[in-house]
Amino acid sequence: MLRVHSGQLERGICMRRRNRSIKIGRKGAERSLELANLRFEGTFTKDDESEPNRSTVTLYNLSPDTVALTKQKDCYLMIEAGYEDDMSTVFVGDVVFSTTYVQGPDNITKLDVMDGFINWRDRRVSVSYPPGTTKQAVAEDAARSLGLPVSPFPTIAGAYESGFSFVGHSRDLMNMCYGRKGWSIQDGRVIVDKTRARVFILNEDTGMIGSPQESLTETKEKKQVHRIEVSCLLNAAILLGDLVKVQSRFFTGQGRVVSITHNMQDEWTTSLTLESR
């Protein structure tokens, strides 16, 4: 297991018992239903785009009451996983579609889940600001209008000398303030500052699988981007924006996490895309 201490992975891996927890409930309810060690499968991808992350989860042998809960309006799903008591959030999202069918001895429920989808889809805002209002103030209000917790705000320079007004979806105002790749929703939180102070180390002793793969790509702005693709044992503690230092036999380098995929099938692994510019 990859244990996290002070933002870094401890060296050494102990083989310990897998653990997982699934919580299903309705937004605003005092309690949710927790299903510990339920059999499930899923691939959970998170990137830094403003459109919600989306995943399909397969759950086995839910009770009829739990199946009915997944079909209720405003139902959400949270998956945590790890080893023994050391678990982290894999995915949180709104259930947008639920279907159940029989296959052999099993009842199989498939859920389409989107992170923060209801707020992203439904929240609207009507605002008007006087001349001289800072862009920072408008951007912060835009983020709060989504109705979700917000990460620390980055500094945005400038002001609207003639004032500013907007009526429409909060997501469109966010795109105006931060750009389509300048914000995202991750595990039910609005992320507007992608840079984190945390550092993780990946090598053979901390769970790295195989060899990292490098590539050089060019952005639309004609800037060169160095990408590193690397996989490890499941580690949901690593988040977008974290700095990962990769150490292997033929490559040593580092980059910020821009994409994460947690594969939870027969094997539990995490695939990362890192970028350095």
Side-chain angles (χ1 to χ4, degrees):
M1 170 56 185
L2 309 179
R3 293 187 58 85
V4 177
H5 179 69
S6 300
Q8 294 188 337
L9 299 177
E10 293 180 354
R11 296 180 64 83
I13 299 174
C14 327
M15 297 306 295
R16 296 186 290 166
R17 181 175 59 85
R18 289 179 178 178
N19 200 3
R20 79 279 285 170
S21 173
I22 296 178
K23 294 179 181 178
I24 301 174
R26 294 189 65 187
K27 285 189 171 181
E30 293 184 2
R31 294 184 179 180
S32 58
L33 178 64
E34 183 170 5
L35 307 171
N37 293 318
L38 178 76
R39 180 186 171 196
F40 78 96
E41 297 174 351
T43 300
F44 309 93
T45 298
K46 304 176 180 181
D47 60 34
D48 58 2
E49 299 288 343
S50 59
E51 292 193 2
N53 298 321
R54 182 169 190 160
S55 292
T56 298
V57 187
T58 302
L59 308 173
Y60 290 84
N61 301 316
L62 297 180
S63 70
D65 288 343
T66 303
V67 171
L69 178 60
T70 67
K71 294 180 178 294
Q72 292 188 24
K73 183 180 179 181
D74 296 342
C75 180
Y76 76 91
L77 176 80
M78 172 185 287
I79 294 179
E80 297 176 310
Y83 297 81
E84 296 185 355
D85 294 330
D86 189 4
M87 297 198 299
S88 298
T89 300
V90 173
F91 198 85
V92 177
D94 301 321
V95 177
V96 298
F97 181 73
S98 171
T99 183
T100 299
Y101 57 92
V102 177
Q103 182 172 296
D106 295 315
N107 297 328
I108 298 176
T109 299
K110 289 199 172 185
L111 305 179
D112 286 342
V113 185
M114 298 180 71
D115 193 350
F117 175 71
I118 293 175
N119 294 65
W120 178 88
R121 180 193 64 189
D122 295 342
R123 298 285 292 198
R124 296 180 64 87
V125 63
S126 177
V127 293
S128 180
Y129 298 89
T133 300
T134 64
K135 293 183 178 181
Q136 177 87 31
V138 175
E140 291 186 8
D141 287 349
R144 295 189 184 98
S145 74
L146 281 164
L148 296 169
V150 186
S151 70
F153 294 99
T155 300
I156 300 177
Y160 295 100
E161 300 301 335
S162 300
F164 180 85
S165 61
F166 177 88
V167 177
H169 282 101
S170 295
R171 63 175 185 264
D172 294 330
L173 180 56
M174 287 291 289
N175 289 338
M176 292 176 62
C177 293
Y178 294 100
R180 291 184 177 274
K181 289 184 66 68
W183 69 283
S184 65
I185 300 174
Q186 305 295 333
D187 299 328
R189 297 185 63 88
V190 180
I191 305 298
V192 291
D193 187 351
K194 298 182 180 181
T195 302
R196 299 175 183 272
R198 307 188 317 164
V199 178
F200 290 82
I201 297 173
L202 277 185
N203 54 36
E204 291 182 354
D205 294 330
T206 61
M208 185 175 68
I209 300 171
S211 298
Q213 303 294 316
E214 297 179 84
S215 64
L216 193 63
T217 61
E218 190 174 84
T219 67
K220 294 180 180 179
E221 296 78 20
K222 304 300 182 181
K223 294 182 179 179
Q224 295 292 320
V225 177
H226 179 213
R227 286 188 174 177
I228 307 165
E229 307 285 343
V230 62
S231 295
C232 62
L233 300 180
L234 179 74
N235 190 338
I238 299 176
L239 303 175
L240 292 175
D242 285 333
L243 182 67
V244 175
K245 296 183 177 181
V246 181
Q247 301 168 342
S248 70
R249 181 179 179 185
F250 295 108
F251 172 80
T252 298
Q254 64 183 31
R256 294 280 175 190
V257 180
V258 297
S259 178
I260 303 171
T261 298
H262 301 301
N263 300 289
M264 302 189 70
Q265 312 292 333
D266 293 333
E267 301 294 331
W268 284 12
T269 63
T270 296
S271 299
L272 304 172
T273 299
L274 317 177
E275 283 189 359
S276 59
R277 305 192 180 207

